[in-house]
Amino acid sequence: MSENNNKQNQMQIELPQDVAQGKYANFAIITHSSSDFVIDFARILPGVPKSQVKSRVILAPEHAKRLLGALQENIMRYEREYGPIKLPNQESRTIAPFPVGKGEA
C-alpha cells in the first residue's frame, strides 16, 4: 500500500483541552437495553454518603464488545510489563476501591 493510501485511511481524532484533563472515577455502573450499553462513571469517597456521576458513555452492543476486547488486551500488556493486578475480595461486581456504604464522616 502506498504512503498516500495510508494517509487517506487514517482517522484523525481531536482531543479538546477541557477533555484532555479527564475525570477521575473509581466506581462504574453498567446497564443495558436491547440496543445500548450505558456506563456511568462516578467517584466514591470514604465517609461521603452521596456520589455523583462524573461521566456517562453510551455504546452500541458491538462497540461494548470491542471495548471489552480492547480492555482485556491492554490489561494483558500491562500485567506483562508491571506484574499482576491484585484485587481485594469483593462480594459485589463493581469497581469501587473499598466497601460502599460503610464509611463514616
Side-chain angles (χ1 to χ4, degrees):
M1 188 178 281
S2 73
E3 187 176 321
N4 197 22
N5 284 342
N6 238 359
K7 287 183 180 180
Q8 289 177 349
N9 291 332
Q10 290 181 351
M11 182 186 314
Q12 293 186 0
I13 298 174
E14 183 179 334
L15 181 59
Q17 188 66 30
D18 61 326
V19 175
Q21 295 300 312
K23 301 282 185 198
Y24 177 76
N26 58 9
F27 186 77
I29 301 166
I30 303 171
T31 56
H32 67 276
S33 68
S34 62
S35 58
D36 296 304
F37 277 74
V38 178
I39 309 173
D40 288 328
F41 294 95
R43 185 178 321 139
I44 295 178
L45 300 172
V48 179
K50 188 174 183 181
S51 182
Q52 188 177 52
V53 171
K54 297 296 180 184
S55 184
R56 171 174 276 187
V57 178
I58 303 169
L59 302 161
E62 297 84 2
H63 295 299
K65 195 161 190 175
R66 287 185 185 108
L67 175 62
L68 173 64
L71 279 170
Q72 287 175 327
E73 181 180 326
N74 277 273
I75 288 171
M76 286 174 32
R77 287 181 191 169
Y78 177 95
E79 290 184 325
R80 267 197 305 267
E81 188 168 342
Y82 302 107
I85 299 169
K86 296 179 177 137
L87 296 175
N89 291 335
Q90 292 181 331
E91 291 180 26
S92 64
R93 304 232 344 137
T94 68
I95 65 165
F98 46 82
V100 178
K102 296 186 180 182
E104 293 181 20

